[in-house]
Amino acid sequence: MKGVINNMKFQDWLKEQLETDPEFKVEFEKIQSEKILVKKLAEARIEQNLTQQDLAEKAGVKQSHLSRFESGKHTPSWDFVHRVAYGLGKTIHIEVR
């Protein structure tokens, strides 16, 4: 059955892992933060009616790298992220909790 792991629903399994495995929790939160960052930058590009090529030119990066970044297939350097944000007229603010 789809979404079931050893008779356990995925959400229940995920909750258990987050509660019992500190290393899993760290990696999961890291991935979630990356996904949020990618989503926000992609949304800003679309809101500004920019193509990936337009933004790549403004940011001084390759369109193919921007495509891989937006699709989640590449974790870029901070330099890349800041260049993309700058190309959008945005800044990156990090909150440590």
Side-chain angles (χ1 to χ4, degrees), residues 4 18 24 29 32 34-36 55 57 65-66 72 80-81 86-87 91 93 96-97:
V4 176
L18 292 170
F24 180 90
E29 289 175 352
Q32 292 303 104
E34 289 172 6
K35 287 173 67 174
I36 291 167
L55 178 55
E57 290 172 9
H65 292 174
L66 184 58
F80 180 91
V81 171
Y86 181 80
T91 57
H93 297 278
V96 179
R97 296 186 228 174

Side-chain angles (χ1 to χ4, degrees), residues 55-93:
L55 178 55
E57 290 172 9
K58 289 178 108 179
V61 300
K62 292 183 179 181
Q63 183 274 329
S64 60
H65 292 174
L66 184 58
S67 175
R68 288 184 10 210
F69 170 66
E70 287 188 1
S71 70
K73 294 178 181 174
H74 175 65
T75 302
S77 66
W78 275 108
D79 179 64
F80 180 91
V81 171
H82 286 283
R83 292 172 113 189
V84 170
Y86 181 80
L88 291 164
K90 304 287 184 184
T91 57
I92 305 289
H93 297 278

Side-chain angles (χ1 to χ4, degrees), residues 30-48:
K30 177 182 157 192
I31 291 168
Q32 292 303 104
S33 297
E34 289 172 6
K35 287 173 67 174
I36 291 167
L37 175 63
V38 169
K39 183 179 179 190
K40 289 194 175 278
L41 290 175
E43 287 173 348
R45 177 183 65 76
I46 292 165
E47 287 172 5
Q48 294 180 29

